[in-house]
Structure formats: C-alpha cells, structure tokens
C-alpha cells in the first residue's frame, strides 16, 4: 500500500490536528502546514505503467511479506483525477491526509484486502467503510471517494521553565540525598600515593584489555564479512555446537535460576506495560480517524481550501505544493525552544513565511517554480527591494561553457540594512522590545549605509571551473603488539577545486589597503605576498583543498581565485553569451553540469560497484539551471533540470534511472566471489 499510495507524494509528518465543518464543503485544518495537489489529468498521461508496474513489483518483493497485488495500474483509484494531500500538527498529534477519487469500488476493495493489517475486519458505517492498514494508518471509502490518514500521537512535552526547573531540582536533590546517605558515616582518608598508583595501573590494564577486545571484535567481523561474501549467509548453528566464533558472547554466561526468573518476570511486566500504552494510543488515533471520516463523508465530499494556500497555484502544473514554513518551524521543537529565550521572537519572525511550488514534468526537462512570501507585508517588501539591484555585465565575462558551473547575483546590498531593521522591529513584544528599538535607531545613526554598500554593492559571481585530483598526506594511528600507540603517515586523493569568486566594489582603495596590510603585518606576512597586480596566500605545506589563493583588485572588481589565468577574459561561445545575458538580467541565477562535477569526484568512488554506478549516472545526468527574481509580492525561483537519455519524458526518466541503478546493485550481489 505504501508503495503506490505514499511513494507518489512528498512525505511530511507534522504535529497537530483540527477540523472545521461547513455546510457544503469540508475545510482542511486551519493550521495545515502542508498542502499538495497532484494533477492526475496531466500526470497520468506521462506515466508508462508497462515500466512502472514491474518496477513497483520489484521494489515490494524485498519486503518481508510477499505482496499479493500484481497490477498497481488497476487499484480502483482514478489516476487521471486530482489527488489532494495535506498535513497539520500540534504538540501531540501529527496527521497526514490524502484524498482520492475511485473509478472501481470493487477493485479498490480487493486492493485494500490485499494490503490491510491481518486480523482486522472492515468497519461499516452509514455512509462509508474503513479499516486500519497499520497501527497508525487508516483508510475509508464509499462508492467513489477514498481517504487515507496517517496519525501519530506523542505525549506533549511541558516546555515551561517552571516544569523543567522543578524536574532538574528534584533530580539534583535526589542525587545529593543518595550521596549524603552513602558517605555520611565514612571517615575522611588521607591521600595514599601507592593506592593512587594502583588505581592508575588498573586503568591502564582496563584500556589495554579494551584494545584487545576491540581488535578481537574487528577480527571476528572481518571473518564474518569474508564468510558472507562467499556463502551469502551466516553458518547454521548446530545443536550442541561448541564453536563460539559466530555465537553470541553473552550466551557463554548464564544467570542463576532465581535471578533469571526475576528478570524474565520484570521483562514480561515491562512488555505488558508497553502493550497497554500502544493499545491506548491506538484507541486514541482510531477515534480521531473516525471523527475525521464522519466529518468528511457527511459533507459534500469537496474540500474547501483557502485562497491564501492557492494563491500561487498554476492549474497547468503537474504537482502543486504549499508549505507554511513559519508554522513548521515556529510551532515545532525549534519554535518551542526559542520561546524560552528573550530574543527568540526575532528568529521566529525571520522564519515566519510560506512557500509554494509548481512542478512540471516536461518532455526534455523538469521544471520547479517556487514562490517565497514572508507573512508580514512590510518585511516582504524589503526582501523584494534587495532583489532590485543594479546590473553588472563585467562580472559575467567569467562565465564559460567549459566550466562545471556558476552562481551569480545582482542584488542591492544597501537594502539588507532596511530588512534587518524591519525584522527587529516586527519581532513582537518582548521584555527588551524598547531596548531593541533604541538599538536600531542608534545603528541607523552610527552606520553609514551608503558607504558600507559601496564596499560591496551586491554584484558577485562564483565560477567552478574544474575539479583536479590532489594527493595529500594525513596522520592516522595504529597500535603495536604491546598496544602502544604510534603515528602512521598515509596518503589519500581529494578533489581540488579550481574556482574564481569575484564581486563588484565602488571602493577599490579599501580592499587594496586590506590586502597590503596582510602582506606587511608580521603575523600574516608569512603566508601573504604581493607579485605585480596579485596578492597571494600560500601555506608552507598545504594539506587542504587548494595549494594557494590569489587576490586582485582592478576595474571595480575584487577577485579571489586559485589561478591567475582564471580572470583573463576569454572568448565566449553563443551558449555562454546567453548565460551571461541572463546572469546580468536576474538578481540570482546559475547552472551546474552534474556530469562534469561527478567526473571531478570520480576518485571518491572506490569499489567496482560504485565505479560502475558512477559511469552509468555520468552518461545519463543532465544540467541544472536556475534563476530568481522578485515578482509582485513574492520572490520567484525557477529551477530546470535537463534530462539526457531516451526516456519518453522527464517523469519516467527518474524511474528509468533508479531502476537501472537498482539492477546494477543487484547484479553485483549475484556475482560469485572466487
């Protein structure tokens, strides 16, 4: 059931559950932090069931219980209809709900019977039937609708300072009382250095024995690995066998009969207590599920979704997702923790936003268009203002089609101050709210925002040209026969990036003074030097991911690069010119060639299986391209992933890719090891 109903959705389990009933439609919970629509009318046309069904069967065959369902394309669910999913949470409950339309009730009932939990009968109500698939999963249906619910209950935690303090004090008092009672009547002994030496010798003996045990355990596991590689299973334990190589060490020791009987009774009592708790929790979630099913099947069977959630939905998208990020963070564990701190409201205000996503599975690429919006209009206006910076074409000359990728920004750095002030001002009432307002006013007076912004106005680019392999030496530790620790020098190969980071400046003198200071200061001059137009940073013995860095300031640009050749302007191809044009146009944009990235990382893949998988992935992965801009009262980002194989569309591309990787892994397992 999980394979077909849950793997086609983004799984989010959140705390909380509330229901609001209307006369005509059923409203989704007011505190829903996640909502998703799957456009079945479009998406079903892109699914190749002849490929997908065998894939799903192959995945489910690895489960402990063999699946009895063989055709996931015929479950009774109307795949070309819209599916609705949403989730909500509070301190104690997390609930995920999915709504489906049925086209064959009898087929759906067969499917349910093949997947439901054994021993549980279907409950029939006036307007629907329902059953428990698992302890936390329920499904209800009538003639043409079905609802799936996953409900999890957790006893709420008391986040109040008083409760935490009282608990801590109680534990401390109890511990102190125990110590006092244990040592109250013992006379204080004078320090005995001989006794202390004996203690230290015992510690050394224990540490050496620990090393011996670890070495023996390692040797045992290595022997297990070799046996498994050859026989693909552990050896069968024969009755009465004295071979302890593969047996449990604890089996060598037996408890006295009376003590063993006492422990067994304690274990049984503990297990009964756990079973009782599980039964109570199951009754609770079952009641919640029933109440929800009653509400839905007594409505018009249509969902009432607020306009705020659907504000950025595109009817042409294959999948639409809405997330209330502010509620997810602020009403989760993080939010509860932040409320205990004086300035926690500031962080809660930063996260007080929501995002919407429209996903498209096109013929030759996957497109994801996201819209970010802060819930406070004033704060959002400052976010949008940052995305309206000046354009800079000079930096874009660094873009070339032979690089692995780049990330470019053209934002207004001076507007960060306004955003910071706005976040502080709108952080809500707190004990230090007036002090915060005064601090903000002082910052406005002291800081020269325009002067600071001229140092780095907000135009920058990072270009990853290539990844080179570098051999570095590192220190490991080993033990001799007497368990004395000794250092061992080893080497390994790491990927060394060849990159350029550049950003615009309207104050070249400021940066030149910084670099000149680094070359003349007695503490930094050992590593910094000047050669012509470049400043260089180099360590005596580099064991990091680059040998040296070069800095330069010219033509209103600050450069940081691993090679001086990188900042030389080169001829651009037509495709590079198009990228450069877009990069100068959008506040943020970039691209990454995943094949070239993996080629640079190929030394990280050691085993034959990893190498074979890498070779396959390199031949089939595409490029990622993205761009961001302010649109209306939101920040919009589009991410495109171009596919590169012969799949009929980008949706089936992912299934083909995963399926082929699984086949490679399976073939490696089946190969006999000689």
């Amino acid at each position: 059931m999980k394979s077909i109903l849950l793997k086609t959705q983004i799984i989010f389990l959140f705390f909380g559950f509330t229901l609001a009933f209307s006369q005509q439609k059923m409203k989704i919970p007011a505190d829903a932090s996640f909502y998703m629509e799957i456009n079945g009318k479009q998406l079903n046309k892109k699914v190749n069931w002849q490929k997908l069904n065998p894939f799903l069967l192959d995945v489910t065959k690895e489960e402990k219980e063999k699946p009895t369902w063989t055709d996931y394309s015929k479950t009774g669910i109307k795949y070309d209809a819209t599916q609705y999913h949403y989730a909500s949470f509070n301190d104690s409950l997390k609930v995920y709900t999915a709504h489906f339309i049925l086209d064959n009730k009898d087929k759906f009932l067969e499917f349910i019977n093949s997947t439901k939990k054994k021993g549980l009968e279907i409950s029939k109500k006036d307007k629907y039937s329902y059953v428990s698939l698992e302890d936390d999963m329920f499904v209800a249906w009538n003639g043409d609708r079905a609802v799936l619910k996953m409900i999890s209950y957790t006893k709420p935690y008391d986040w109040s300072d008083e409760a935490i303090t009282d608990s801590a004090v109680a534990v401390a008092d109890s511990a102190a009382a125990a110590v006092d009672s244990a040592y109250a009547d013992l006379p204080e002994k004078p320090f005995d250095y001989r006794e202390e030496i004996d203690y230290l010798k015992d510690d050394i003996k224990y540490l050496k024995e620990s090393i011996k045990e670890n070495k023996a355990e390692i040797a045992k596991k290595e022997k297990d690995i070799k046996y498994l590689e050859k026989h693909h299973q552990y050896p069968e334990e024969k009755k009465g066998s004295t071979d302890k190589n593969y047996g449990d060490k604890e089996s060598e020791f037996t408890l006295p009969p009376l003590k063993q009987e006492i422990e067994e009774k304690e274990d049984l009592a503990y297990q009964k207590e756990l079973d009782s708790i599980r039964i109570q929790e199951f009754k609770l979630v079952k009641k919640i599920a029933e109440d929800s099913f009653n509400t839905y099947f007594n409505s018009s069977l249509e969902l009432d979704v607020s306009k705020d959630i659907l504000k950025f939905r595109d009817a042409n998208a294959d999948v639409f997702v809405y997330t209330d990020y502010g509620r997810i963070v602020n009403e989760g564990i993080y939010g509860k923790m932040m409320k205990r701190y004086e300035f926690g409201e500031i962080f809660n205000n930063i996260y007080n936003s929501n995002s919407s996503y429209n996903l498209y599975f096109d013929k030759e690429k996957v497109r994801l268009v996201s819209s970010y919006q802060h819930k406070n209009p004033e704060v959002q206006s400052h976010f949008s203002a940052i995305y309206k910076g000046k354009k800079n074409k000079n930096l874009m000359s660094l873009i070339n089609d032979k690089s692995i990728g780049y990330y470019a920004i053209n934002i207004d750095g001076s507007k960060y101050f306004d955003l910071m002030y706005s976040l502080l001002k709108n952080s809500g009432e707190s004990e230090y709210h007036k002090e915060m307002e005064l601090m903000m006013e002082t910052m406005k007076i002291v800081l020269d925002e325009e002067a600071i912004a001229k140092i780095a106005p907000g135009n920058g680019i990072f270009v990853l040209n290539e990844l080179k392999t570098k051999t570095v030496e590192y220190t490991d530790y080993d033990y001799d026969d007497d368990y004395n620790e000794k250092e061992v020098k080893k080497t390994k190969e790491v990927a060394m990036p060849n990159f350029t980071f550049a950003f615009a400046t309207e104050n070249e003198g400021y940066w030149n003074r910084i670099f000149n200071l680094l070359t003349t200061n007695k503490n930094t001059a050992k590593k910094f030097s000047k050669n012509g137009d470049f400043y260089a940073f180099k360590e005596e013995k580099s064991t990091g991911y680059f040998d040296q860095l070069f800095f330069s300031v010219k033509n209103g640009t600050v450069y940081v690069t691993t090679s001086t050749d990188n900042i030389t302007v080169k001829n651009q191809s037509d495709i590079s010119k198009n990228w450069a044009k877009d990069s100068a146009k959008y506040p943020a944009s970039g691209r990454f060639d995943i094949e070239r990235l993996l080629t640079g990382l190929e030394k990280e893949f050691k085993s034959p299986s990893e190498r074979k998988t890498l070779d396959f992935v390199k031949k089939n992965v595409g490029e990622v391209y993205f761009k961001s801009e302010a649109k209306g009262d939101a920040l919009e980002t589009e991410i495109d992933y171009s596919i590169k194989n012969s799949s009929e569309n980008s949706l089936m591309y992912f299934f083909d890719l995963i399926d082929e990787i699984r086949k490679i892994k399976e073939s490696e397992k089946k190969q006999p090891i000689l």
Side-chain angles (χ1 to χ4, degrees), residues 471-483:
T471 302
V472 297
E473 188 179 80
Y474 68 100
T475 302
D476 200 357
Y477 297 92
D478 201 354
Y479 298 90
D480 59 21
D481 294 337
D482 294 325
Y483 306 107

Side-chain angles (χ1 to χ4, degrees), residues 1-6 8 44 49 52-53 56-57 60 68-80 83 100-115 139 141-143 145-146:
M1 183 65 180
K2 294 178 182 177
S3 298
I4 188 64
L5 295 179
L6 304 180
T8 56
N44 192 55
W49 282 105
L52 185 58
N53 194 65
L56 294 174
L57 287 172
T60 54
T68 58
W69 198 260
T70 58
D71 191 352
Y72 287 98
S73 66
K74 297 176 181 178
T75 59
I77 297 173
K78 188 176 175 62
Y79 290 122
D80 58 357
Q83 295 181 18
F100 307 92
I101 294 178
L102 305 180
D103 60 4
N104 190 322
K105 179 184 175 182
D106 295 334
K107 203 70 177 175
F108 182 74
L109 183 57
E110 289 180 27
F111 180 54
I112 292 299
N113 284 325
S114 71
T115 55
V139 63
W141 66 94
N142 63 5
R145 301 294 175 105

